[in-house]
């Protein structure tokens, strides 16, 4: 792991982030007008189609027939159609996208208002030159459907001199996948930052001006550092790696345990970061707190302890930001199974994979406590130590579920630590409803068979229920405890998976993601609704 901290200037902490202004609406319109020949051809086609759009059209002229069913009568379409600017194709919303996929013709005109659409940018494009043509051809289609003078629609010279230096247009090139420079054993920070950037809830939180960096008076403000990193990665056209220098500096100042160039734990940094975002921007009123912790990661864990002597039940609720699932019991069980199966098989398997559903089931299965671990406070037991049974369930599911797999085992006798390399199988879609307090209280009609193997995809609930989650990021730790390296897999909008290894970014398949030796799993709820708990 190389140290690239010197490559990032410290002065970048105070410089405002600027976004390159795009004069041609988008890069794809600019390419069509780079040469005089192509510019004339494109402008002629655009003007011709604008005249066609401005001409009143009878609904009968918008009828069409299904080519796959010629015997079917004509269909009248009253919806908008899209006219390609590079050929004679005309189609509806679906046909527009299909035409781009087959012919790579990205630019078209919408038939109702004449707006210019780019299929690559997936949005309507405002271009000053072509907008003037559109309004001249069809002035009634402007914003308020009233004829206005052109000088009213465009800013005067004095207004333009004031607006131009203080406004920017976001290019469609912004938000391209970018890695993180390793500033000296800072891969633990990079993977958590990548997981947050690719969480669909996070960019909206940090780029919506909920925390005003211009009015913040905190010298070591973590939200300000996060906003700077999000803006640099998502709102600029840079393609090189991002150096989270400001976040690293403020983290070291806040938490000396994370300072220095030694190996750090990504899960510990995640907990520190979420806690800082709550304490810095949170409200004293817990019920109305609008911080990132309560909006994105907040959940509740229900704990019930039953005294086996008097059946007294003690219930408590605790806030959580993640679930820590134990792999040690499975590792010990595998060794016992191996010893018992030596005499019956010639090829015992010491490394049988473990299912995530099995870990969650073990986490929410009642367990007996040690005899001295529980003191019953009922009148019958008289505040004496008793044997008890503890049961954990999830009372409130968070919008983003972070699952930590306990791969590090610490021995108090030998004062040493070792890493568990147990293979874990995890799904792309996860149903968390069976592990909630609400589900555990429901009567079971047919108890599941103890011999049946857990499935990665089977579920008894609807995929649209609040209990369904989609995998968002996977964080992997390779190597030893004190000399390892973190990488991560993140899913972009549209379903494409990427692998981030410091500043290196590569495409990844679903198979590569599911084959990874996960340490942290981030799942995002599929449908926001009333909590399943």
């Amino acid at each position: 792991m190389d140290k690239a901290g010197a490559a990032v200037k410290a002065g970048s902490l105070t410089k405002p982030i600027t976004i390159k202004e795009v004069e041609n609406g988008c890069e794809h319109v600019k390419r069509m007008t780079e040469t005089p020949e192509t510019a004339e051809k494109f402008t002629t086609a655009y003007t011709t189609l604008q005249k066609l759009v401005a001409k009143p059209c009878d609904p009968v002229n918008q009828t069409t027939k299904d080519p796959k069913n010629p015997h079917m009568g004509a269909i009248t379409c009253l919806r908008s159609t899209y006219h390609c600017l590079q050929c004679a194709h005309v189609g509806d919303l679906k046909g527009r996208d299909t035409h781009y996929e087959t012919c790579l013709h990205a630019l078209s005109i919408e038939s109702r208002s004449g707006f210019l659409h780019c299929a690559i940018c997936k949005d309507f494009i405002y271009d000053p030159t072509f907008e003037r043509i559109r309004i001249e051809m069809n002035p009634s289609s402007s914003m308020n459907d009233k004829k206005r003078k052109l000088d009213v629609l465009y800013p005067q010279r004095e207004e333009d001199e004031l607006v131009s230096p203080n406004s920017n247009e976001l290019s469609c090139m912004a938000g391209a996948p970018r890695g993180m420079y390793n500033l000296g054993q800072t891969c633990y920070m990079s993977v958590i930052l990548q997981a947050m950037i690719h969480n669909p809830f996070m960019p909206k939180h940090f780029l919506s001006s909920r925390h005003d960096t211009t009015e913040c008076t905190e010298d070591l403000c973590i939200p300000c550092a996060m906003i700077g990193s999000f803006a640099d990665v998502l709102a600029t056209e840079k393609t090189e790696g991002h150096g989270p220098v400001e976040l690293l500096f403020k983290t070291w100042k806040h938490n000396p345990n994370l300072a220095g160039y030694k190996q750090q734990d990504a899960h510990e940094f995640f907990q520190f970061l979420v806690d800082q975002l709550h304490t810095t921007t949170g409200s004293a009123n817990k019920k109305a707190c609008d911080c990132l912790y309560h909006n994105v990661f907040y959940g509740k864990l229900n704990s019930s302890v039953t005294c086996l002597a008097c059946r007294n039940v003690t219930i408590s609720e605790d806030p959580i930001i993640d679930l820590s699932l134990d792999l040690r019991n499975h590792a010990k069980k595998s060794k016992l199974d191996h010893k018992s199966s030596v005499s019956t098989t010639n090829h015992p398997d010491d490394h049988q994979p473990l299912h995530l559903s099995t870990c969650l089931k073990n986490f929410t299965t009642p367990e007996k406590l040690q005899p001295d671990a529980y003191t019953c406070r009922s009148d019958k037991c008289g505040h004496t130590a008793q044997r008890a049974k503890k049961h954990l369930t999830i009372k409130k599911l968070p919008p983003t579920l972070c699952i930590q797999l306990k791969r590090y085992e610490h021995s108090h006798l030998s004062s040493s630590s070792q890493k568990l390399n147990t293979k874990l199988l995890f799904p792309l879609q996860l149903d968390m409803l069976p592990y909630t307090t609400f589900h555990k209280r429901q009567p079971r009609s047919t108890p599941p068979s103890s011999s049946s193997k857990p499935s990665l995809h089977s579920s008894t609930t609807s995929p649209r229920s609040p209990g369904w989650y989609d995998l968002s990021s996977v964080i992997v730790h390779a190597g030893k405890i004190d000399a390892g390296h973190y990488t991560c897999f993140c899913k972009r909008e549209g379903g494409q998976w990427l692998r981030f290894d410091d500043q290196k970014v590569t495409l990844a398949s679903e198979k590569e993601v599911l084959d990874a030796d996960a340490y942290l799993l981030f799942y995002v709820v599929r449908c926001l609704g009333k909590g399943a708990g």
Side-chain angles (χ1 to χ4, degrees), residues 190-371:
S190 300
V191 292
I192 295 298
L193 194 55
Q194 290 287 7
M196 288 190 169
I197 288 174
H198 290 86
N199 184 318
F201 298 117
M202 304 292 278
K204 184 179 295 186
H205 182 92
F206 283 112
L207 301 180
S208 60
S209 301
R210 291 191 177 186
H211 181 75
D212 194 342
T213 57
T214 60
E215 297 183 0
C216 181
T217 58
E218 179 68 32
D219 292 335
L220 300 175
C221 180
I222 293 293
C224 286
M226 292 290 289
I227 291 173
S229 291
F230 269 72
D232 184 61
V233 173
L234 298 177
T236 63
E237 294 185 0
K238 299 178 183 177
T239 56
E240 69 276 9
H242 167 69
V245 180
E246 183 179 3
L247 180 60
L248 179 65
F249 172 76
K250 293 180 178 180
T251 298
W252 286 4
K253 287 292 186 179
H254 277 285
N255 191 343
N257 293 329
L258 295 174
Y261 295 101
K262 62 181 180 179
Q263 181 76 38
Q264 301 291 350
D265 184 15
H267 180 242
E268 182 182 352
F269 174 71
F270 166 73
Q271 292 181 318
F272 157 79
L273 196 59
V274 175
D275 179 69
Q276 281 293 318
L277 293 172
H278 168 63
T279 56
T280 308
T281 61
S283 170
N285 185 1
K286 295 183 179 179
K287 294 184 178 180
C289 185
D290 195 35
C291 71
L292 177 136
Y293 161 63
H294 282 90
N295 285 337
V296 181
F297 296 104
Y298 175 69
K300 284 184 181 180
L301 195 65
N302 185 85
S303 174
S304 63
V305 180
T306 304
C307 177
L308 298 181
C310 66
R311 312 307 297 180
N312 177 61
V313 180
T314 304
I315 298 178
S316 62
E317 294 181 0
D318 299 304
I320 56 171
I321 61 173
D322 53 43
L323 293 178
S324 294
L325 303 183
D326 206 340
L327 302 179
R328 291 175 295 181
N329 293 336
H330 174 77
K332 295 177 181 179
K333 182 178 181 299
S334 298
K335 293 180 180 180
L336 294 176
D337 293 342
H338 166 54
K339 292 179 181 180
S340 62
S341 62
V342 169
S343 58
T344 59
T345 178
N346 295 327
H347 301 283
D349 186 8
D350 294 334
H351 306 284
Q352 294 182 356
L354 176 64
H355 291 261
L356 179 61
S357 57
T358 303
C359 294
L360 289 168
K361 181 180 178 181
N362 293 338
F363 182 80
T364 55
T365 297
E367 62 173 344
K368 292 183 179 180
L369 300 178
Q370 296 293 332

Side-chain angles (χ1 to χ4, degrees), residues 257-518:
N257 293 329
L258 295 174
Y261 295 101
K262 62 181 180 179
Q263 181 76 38
Q264 301 291 350
D265 184 15
H267 180 242
E268 182 182 352
F269 174 71
F270 166 73
Q271 292 181 318
F272 157 79
L273 196 59
V274 175
D275 179 69
Q276 281 293 318
L277 293 172
H278 168 63
T279 56
T280 308
T281 61
S283 170
N285 185 1
K286 295 183 179 179
K287 294 184 178 180
C289 185
D290 195 35
C291 71
L292 177 136
Y293 161 63
H294 282 90
N295 285 337
V296 181
F297 296 104
Y298 175 69
K300 284 184 181 180
L301 195 65
N302 185 85
S303 174
S304 63
V305 180
T306 304
C307 177
L308 298 181
C310 66
R311 312 307 297 180
N312 177 61
V313 180
T314 304
I315 298 178
S316 62
E317 294 181 0
D318 299 304
I320 56 171
I321 61 173
D322 53 43
L323 293 178
S324 294
L325 303 183
D326 206 340
L327 302 179
R328 291 175 295 181
N329 293 336
H330 174 77
K332 295 177 181 179
K333 182 178 181 299
S334 298
K335 293 180 180 180
L336 294 176
D337 293 342
H338 166 54
K339 292 179 181 180
S340 62
S341 62
V342 169
S343 58
T344 59
T345 178
N346 295 327
H347 301 283
D349 186 8
D350 294 334
H351 306 284
Q352 294 182 356
L354 176 64
H355 291 261
L356 179 61
S357 57
T358 303
C359 294
L360 289 168
K361 181 180 178 181
N362 293 338
F363 182 80
T364 55
T365 297
E367 62 173 344
K368 292 183 179 180
L369 300 178
Q370 296 293 332
D372 298 333
Y374 173 72
T375 300
C376 183
R377 302 184 181 277
S378 67
D379 295 336
K380 185 176 181 180
C381 293
H383 295 258
T384 58
Q386 298 290 340
R387 296 172 63 247
K389 180 177 64 175
K390 184 177 182 180
H391 189 195
L392 295 176
T393 54
I394 302 175
K395 178 70 174 179
K396 175 182 173 59
L397 289 169
T400 297
L401 176 65
C402 174
I403 298 178
Q404 182 219 11
L405 304 170
K406 295 182 180 179
R407 292 195 174 273
Y408 307 128
E409 185 177 28
H410 303 278
S411 175
H412 297 287
L413 297 177
S414 60
S415 299
S416 61
S417 303
Q418 64 176 352
K419 182 179 178 182
L420 299 178
N421 294 315
T422 305
K423 180 64 179 178
L424 181 85
L425 302 180
F426 53 91
L428 294 173
Q429 296 85 30
L430 178 64
D431 181 18
M432 288 297 296
L433 194 62
Y435 316 106
T436 60
T437 307
F438 171 80
H439 185 271
K440 294 292 183 181
R441 290 174 179 172
Q442 302 303 310
R444 294 185 179 181
S445 55
T446 55
S449 172
S450 58
S451 61
S452 61
K453 294 183 178 180
S455 172
L456 290 178
H457 304 284
S458 62
S459 178
T460 57
T461 60
S462 168
R464 299 298 298 173
S465 74
W468 273 95
Y469 284 76
D470 293 309
L471 186 64
S472 173
S473 298
V474 179
I475 292 178
V476 181
H477 181 269
K480 299 179 181 180
I481 296 178
D482 55 350
H485 180 58
Y486 284 102
T487 58
C488 67
F489 294 90
C490 298
K491 185 170 69 172
R492 285 177 61 83
E493 184 178 358
Q496 177 63 59
W497 283 93
L498 299 173
R499 182 178 183 270
F500 294 89
D501 183 356
D502 290 338
Q503 71 269 27
K504 183 180 180 181
V505 184
T506 55
L507 294 175
S509 63
E510 289 185 355
K511 184 179 183 303
E512 291 178 271
V513 176
L514 296 177
D515 287 342
D517 293 327

